[in-house]
Amino acid sequence: MLRRPRWVGYLVLGVLFGILTANLGLWQWHRHESKVERRTLIEANYDAAPVAVTTLLPDPEGTFPTAEQWRRVEARGRYAPELQHLVRNRPHEGVYGYEVLVPLLLDDGTALVVDRGWVRNAATAATLPEVPVAPEGTIDVTGWLRPGEPDLGRDLPAGQVASIDLPRLEESTGLDVLPGYAVLDTEVPAPPTRPEPLGRPSTALGSHFAYALQWWLTVPVGVILVLVMARQTARDEAVERDGHGSVAAPVRPRKVRIWDEEDA
């Protein structure tokens, strides 16, 4: 039965189905591992004592230290509010608005991009929102270190960006920007108002692990289904042959009753 071309094709499809579901399971498993790694970093770094940002980012031309994501950092410098940028289409508690980026000029001549928080959209898309002004003078800043985001390739009006793309910010500001930015926690001295602070990052793992198990459990289903169908088809063909007399069914002898023998 399984040597017939049609059933060989079915078996090939069953094997391909198994390969597909195995790979989908691996995809969900990798997503689960990524969430676990992210949670581990946040839990280890988010509430730790702050360290100087130049200790973790000593070279503006260097790379971002992946293990230091969400590490609490501190820096002292002066804001450059004239170089402020707004990041468009940023959600916060279910509402879209802007995140406010202001460079903090450090004593060594480099600049740390500080995400000072979120502001709500203005009444129309053509109007910019009102943004609390960054404090003047020397400021002590603490925040959480984050890597830059990819360039989304969108050309926006001056002072606006589609993502926190640090090379693009460096180009537009003309500053020597460090290879990471800080999500603001505190400013000392504190200004009277500031953009709304960003919330603590989520450490939920989601359902990726369960999805991976579900996909892996379905790996043999395709082949099993083909085998069951082939077996049932073989049985049906055997019954059909018997009905056409190809294979004669055995004739059972008629049972003789006692009173039939007495009447004989």
Side-chain angles (χ1 to χ4, degrees):
M1 174 65 67
L2 292 177
R3 295 180 181 179
R4 298 177 183 176
R6 182 181 66 174
W7 290 101
V8 171
Y10 290 161
L11 278 175
V12 170
L13 290 176
V15 172
L16 291 177
F17 176 80
I19 294 173
L20 174 63
T21 53
N23 285 325
L24 287 172
L26 284 174
W27 173 60
Q28 290 289 350
W29 174 255
H30 291 325
R31 295 188 68 186
H32 169 73
E33 287 187 320
S34 177
K35 289 287 187 70
V36 170
E37 181 180 358
R38 181 176 184 273
R39 182 178 68 176
T40 300
L41 284 174
I42 292 173
E43 291 179 347
N45 296 338
Y46 196 84
D47 295 318
V51 299
V53 69
T54 51
T55 300
L56 302 180
L57 303 176
D59 183 8
E61 303 299 326
T63 58
F64 184 88
T66 303
E68 304 300 340
Q69 291 190 58
W70 294 110
R71 183 70 182 271
R72 282 174 59 84
V73 294
E74 57 187 6
R76 171 175 290 183
R78 300 173 64 90
Y79 279 124
E82 70 279 4
L83 299 177
Q84 172 180 286
H85 283 71
L86 301 180
V87 192
R88 299 180 62 170
N89 297 323
R90 306 296 275 206
H92 180 66
E93 297 182 356
V95 180
Y96 279 85
Y98 297 84
E99 288 181 26
V100 182
L101 306 179
V102 184
L104 183 72
L105 307 181
L106 308 182
D107 292 338
D108 61 1
T110 61
L112 172 67
V113 174
V114 178
D115 187 338
R116 298 191 65 236
W118 179 89
V119 293
R120 186 183 296 269
N121 282 333
T124 65
T127 305
L128 290 178
E130 293 186 6
V131 179
V133 180
E136 298 180 353
T138 301
I139 305 295
D140 290 316
V141 171
T142 62
W144 294 278
L145 193 62
R146 301 286 292 130
E149 299 174 355
D151 182 5
L152 299 182
R154 300 174 187 170
D155 292 327
L156 299 177
Q160 298 184 49
V161 289
S163 66
I164 307 178
D165 175 28
L166 297 177
R168 175 168 288 202
L169 288 169
E170 184 172 62
E171 180 181 354
S172 63
T173 61
L175 300 174
D176 200 8
V177 174
L178 294 178
Y181 72 97
V183 175
L184 180 63
D185 180 20
T186 62
E187 295 167 324
V188 179
T193 59
R194 56 162 288 187
E196 188 169 344
L198 301 181
R200 186 184 182 100
S202 172
T203 56
L205 297 181
S207 302
H208 302 298
F209 180 70
Y211 291 153
L213 292 180
Q214 291 175 8
W215 282 120
W216 286 333
L217 288 173
T218 61
V219 168
V221 168
V223 173
I224 292 174
L225 182 60
V226 171
L227 295 177
V228 170
M229 291 172 60
R231 182 179 181 185
Q232 184 62 44
T233 300
R235 288 181 175 179
D236 292 343
E237 290 179 354
V239 171
E240 184 177 353
R241 287 196 303 271
D242 292 345
H244 287 80
S246 298
V247 180
V251 179
R252 298 179 62 183
R254 181 176 179 272
K255 185 176 181 181
V256 180
R257 295 172 294 183
I258 297 176
W259 51 82
D260 291 337
E261 294 177 350
E262 293 177 350
D263 293 339

